[in-house]
């Protein structure tokens, strides 16, 4: 892609998200979401592959439907209340429509069906943008309007997403689909605690962005898109393989890795709020996700591909991507747990 066009598209992505972050007016927020959607579509379709075009079309239709629903809900709310302010969502119908539309935007269950299919059709870097940056603006709107939304609805969305994200990834062999279900499960963890401690939602989002970035950049560096190819990485770059396995365990939430921190704090908050049963179900749902992360680690570190020599090859694959983002995200994804007390004090 032409670098000038790429710069314009990435700037538009940043502009759309910033506009949504900064707005307290529904029309401005809607405009930011639309700029965001329109900016990523050329990035998704840039390879002109039938699967990429199909994924782009599916993404456009779902995002357009969600944007239309947001516009309809905000218009209904303005008609009933006389204002476009986000903090004045007094109509339960408008609130329910807004959360349904925003859940469709970020792929919360049961509005998650587009997410694995779309991510499977994209290259890894565009998939990284879709899994991280594109979640920020809708989540900011959910955080701003959370007080007006029925708590039972938020709890149901969060619990369903965590369970669906765990169940859906069990039978997958495509790494991008596994990461899509991982994304759905992590969104569920963020939504479940939103009504009790929004700062924990933001902490979980930040940790999720670093861990997912590390996972996608590792797969990009090793050119892996299927579980079968993971068994061949260790002979090419053993250190990268070790780091990738640890990042996957961090995504699963195992101590002493960074991913344990948000899950631990969220379960603690749910127990404090007098919801031990919900906390137990969430912890059990995390085991489902942990199973398919362990499956990937097993394929990566404990199996030998029949096409690979049993010794470390003297050559290394030359990669053209910058190693600094991968190194930074991997360090953050693995080593922040000892700083948990300081982070808790900050949030």
């Amino acid at each position: 892609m032409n670098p000038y066009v790429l710069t314009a598209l990435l700037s538009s992505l940043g502009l759309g998200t910033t506009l949504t972050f900064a707005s307290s007016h529904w029309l401005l927020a809607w405009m930011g979401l639309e700029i965001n959607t329109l900016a990523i579509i050329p990035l998704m379709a840039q390879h002109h592959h039938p699967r990429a075009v199909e994924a782009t079309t599916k993404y456009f239709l779902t995002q357009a439907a969600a944007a239309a629903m947001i516009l309809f809900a905000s218009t209904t709310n303005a008609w009933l209340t006389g204002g476009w302010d986000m903090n004045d969502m007094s109509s339960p119908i408008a609130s329910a429509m807004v959360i349904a539309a925003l859940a469709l935007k970020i792929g919360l269950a049961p509005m998650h069906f587009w997410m694995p299919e779309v991510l499977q059709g994209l290259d890894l870097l565009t998939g990284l943008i879709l899994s991280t940056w594109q979640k920020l603006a809708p989540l900011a709107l959910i955080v701003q309007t959370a007080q007006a939304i029925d708590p039972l609805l938020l709890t149901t969305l969060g619990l369903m997403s965590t369970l669906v994200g765990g169940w859906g990834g069990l039978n997958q062999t495509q790494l991008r689909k596994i990461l899509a279900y991982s994304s759905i499960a992590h969104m569920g963890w963020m939504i479940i605690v939103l009504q009790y401690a929004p700062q924990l939602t933001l902490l979980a989002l930040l940790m999720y962005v670093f861990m997912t970035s590390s996972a996608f950049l590792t797969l990009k560096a090793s050119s892996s898109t299927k579980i079968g190819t993971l068994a061949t990485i260790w002979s090419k770059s053993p250190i990268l393989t070790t780091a990738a396995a640890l990042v996957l365990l961090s995504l699963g939430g195992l101590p002493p890795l960074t991913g344990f921190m948000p899950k631990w704090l969220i379960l603690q908050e749910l127990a404090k709020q007098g919801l031990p049963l919900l906390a137990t179900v969430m912890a059990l749902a995390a085991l489902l996700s942990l199973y398919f992360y362990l499956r990937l680690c097993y394929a990566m570190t404990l199996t030998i591909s029949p096409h690979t020599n049993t010794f470390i090859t003297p050559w290394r694959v030359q990669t053209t991507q910058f190693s600094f983002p991968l190194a930074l995200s991997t360090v953050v994804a693995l080593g922040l747990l000892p700083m948990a007390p300081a982070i808790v004090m900050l949030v």
Side-chain angles (χ1 to χ4, degrees):
M1 183 178 278
N2 186 308
Y4 298 112
V5 175
L6 185 62
T7 305
L9 291 174
L10 293 177
S11 303
S12 300
L13 272 179
L15 172 69
T17 304
T18 310
L19 193 62
T20 305
F21 278 175
S23 60
S24 58
H25 191 284
W26 273 116
L27 273 182
L28 269 179
W30 172 80
M31 210 178 299
L33 292 172
E34 285 296 281
I35 292 170
N36 230 344
T37 303
L38 293 174
I40 200 175
I41 279 173
L43 292 173
M44 295 171 76
Q46 64 180 317
H47 293 294
H48 304 295
H49 190 277
R51 282 199 175 171
V53 174
E54 180 189 342
T56 309
T57 309
K58 286 176 179 174
Y59 182 75
F60 174 73
L61 291 174
T62 51
Q63 298 300 303
M69 207 187 298
I70 288 171
L71 198 57
F72 180 57
S74 54
T75 309
T76 306
N77 190 63
W79 180 42
L80 293 171
T81 62
W84 291 86
D85 193 1
M86 273 185 210
N87 300 316
D88 188 19
M89 293 288 292
S90 53
S91 164
I93 298 173
S95 300
M97 278 196 291
V98 162
I99 190 63
L102 292 171
L104 180 59
K105 279 261 178 203
I106 61 172
L108 281 175
M111 282 79 82
H112 67 283
F113 294 100
W114 63 270
M115 180 83 184
E117 298 298 325
V118 167
L119 208 57
Q120 177 58 29
L122 304 179
D123 66 301
L124 288 164
L125 285 183
T126 315
L128 170 60
I129 296 173
L130 184 70
S131 300
T132 54
W133 187 261
Q134 292 297 95
K135 308 277 188 188
L136 300 182
L139 264 173
L141 294 182
I142 292 176
V143 169
Q144 285 185 64
T145 56
Q147 301 311 313
I149 298 165
D150 181 15
L152 182 61
L153 182 57
L154 280 177
T155 305
T156 307
L157 283 172
L159 191 57
M160 278 189 70
S161 299
T162 315
L163 289 167
V164 165
W167 279 117
L170 289 180
N171 203 27
Q172 300 298 331
T173 58
Q174 297 287 338
L175 299 178
R176 284 167 292 187
K177 279 194 177 180
I178 287 176
L179 286 171
Y181 282 109
S182 162
S183 174
I184 292 165
H186 278 89
M187 290 296 132
W189 279 90
M190 292 172 214
I191 295 300
I192 201 92
V193 80
L194 178 59
Q195 55 202 314
Y196 309 114
Q199 67 274 19
L200 287 185
T201 297
L202 298 179
L203 174 67
L205 174 62
L206 190 63
M207 297 299 109
Y208 161 78
V209 166
F210 277 113
M211 292 186 293
T212 305
S213 301
S214 181
F216 269 102
L217 291 173
T218 303
L219 296 180
K220 177 79 171 63
S222 58
S223 304
S224 302
T225 54
K226 294 192 289 291
I227 289 185
T229 55
L230 287 179
T232 63
I233 301 176
W234 68 271
S235 64
K236 299 172 189 172
S237 43
I239 296 173
L240 184 67
T241 307
T242 308
L246 289 173
V247 165
L248 288 170
L249 294 178
S250 184
L251 271 167
L254 279 189
L257 303 167
T258 303
F260 176 63
M261 178 173 41
K263 286 187 168 63
W264 166 38
L265 294 173
I266 288 169
L267 291 176
Q268 188 181 26
E269 184 62 33
L270 290 175
K272 273 186 197 169
Q273 297 290 338
L275 299 165
L277 183 61
L278 183 59
T280 306
V281 175
M282 291 294 288
L284 291 173
L287 292 177
L288 292 170
S289 300
L290 184 59
Y291 174 80
F292 61 76
Y293 294 127
L294 282 171
R295 191 165 150 236
L296 294 183
C297 291
Y298 175 76
M300 204 182 295
T301 57
L302 296 174
T303 59
I304 297 176
S305 170
H307 306 298
T308 307
N309 296 324
T310 53
F311 56 86
I312 295 175
T313 48
W315 49 269
R316 294 287 179 268
V317 177
Q318 292 298 318
T319 176
T320 54
Q321 78 179 51
F322 294 116
S323 55
F324 179 70
L326 173 57
L328 177 67
S329 56
T330 303
V331 167
V332 173
L334 299 183
L336 278 195
L337 187 62
M339 295 176 65
I343 292 170
V344 170
M345 290 295 290
L346 288 174
V347 300

